[in-house]
Amino acid sequence: TFARITPFSLRTRTDNIRDYAGLYMKDLVLTFSIVLCLLSLGGIPPLSDFFGKLYLFWHGWKAGLYISITVALVTSVISIYYYLKIIKLMLTKTTNPVDTLKTYEKQKSLVSSVISTKLKSSVEMAMILCALASTLSGLFMDPIIKITRNTFF
């Protein structure tokens, strides 16, 4: 998730969450990538962090850490609410087109358009690969766990 937030803050020169408004209109790949990461952090199945939380909570419960697991479950639900608010902001709100134009004009003045295009495409490719890795590792978690158990235990 931080790897997605960094390109956004480099492009817009801001770290304010309110500036994510209407991001899907400006950069669809970045929006898609951030949405997948936020849903994964929230523990939404079938993404990989869901299985991480599931195993962590399950083993904590088996170890008798009932209060800790209850607190962790409650805070996980609360975090999903805040992640969904950010996703809603990115997908529903719109920004002033003049502000968007000013932001991208600053970006063009800092780096030549050729370098900017190559850098943007490589960053987008890395974001797509990371999003796919997060999703596919969640979908294929059972074979991954079996391979790990057979190899290490």
Side-chain angles (χ1 to χ4, degrees), residues 34-54 57 73 75-85 87 131 133-141:
I34 291 175
V35 166
L36 272 178
C37 285
L38 289 174
L39 291 175
S40 183
L41 279 175
I44 304 296
L47 301 172
S48 58
D49 288 351
F50 167 75
F51 294 101
K53 285 184 178 185
L54 180 70
F57 294 161
L73 284 170
T75 56
S76 290
V77 171
I78 292 170
S79 71
I80 291 171
Y81 169 75
Y82 285 103
Y83 295 146
L84 290 176
K85 281 182 71 170
I87 292 170
S134 175
T135 305
L136 293 176
S137 65
L139 290 173
F140 299 113
M141 185 57 67

Side-chain angles (χ1 to χ4, degrees), residues 2-107:
F2 292 114
R4 273 60 167 204
I5 293 170
T6 302
F8 174 79
S9 60
L10 289 174
R11 289 180 190 168
T12 59
R13 304 282 182 241
T14 182
D15 291 329
N16 195 344
I17 290 178
R18 281 183 249 135
D19 293 328
Y20 288 154
L23 183 61
Y24 75 98
M25 301 274 287
K26 299 174 228 170
D27 195 342
L28 190 59
V29 173
L30 183 62
T31 304
F32 174 72
S33 183
I34 291 175
V35 166
L36 272 178
C37 285
L38 289 174
L39 291 175
S40 183
L41 279 175
I44 304 296
L47 301 172
S48 58
D49 288 351
F50 167 75
F51 294 101
K53 285 184 178 185
L54 180 70
Y55 289 123
L56 184 69
F57 294 161
W58 177 254
H59 288 290
W61 190 264
K62 285 183 4 184
L65 303 170
Y66 306 117
I67 295 173
S68 298
I69 297 303
T70 304
V71 169
L73 284 170
V74 169
T75 56
S76 290
V77 171
I78 292 170
S79 71
I80 291 171
Y81 169 75
Y82 285 103
Y83 295 146
L84 290 176
K85 281 182 71 170
I86 295 171
I87 292 170
K88 180 183 172 192
L89 178 74
M90 286 189 296
L91 298 177
T92 60
K93 302 283 184 183
T94 57
T95 58
N96 187 355
V98 175
D99 294 339
T100 303
L101 183 61
K102 287 179 184 177
T103 300
Y104 284 102
E105 287 300 321
K106 286 180 187 176
Q107 178 186 2

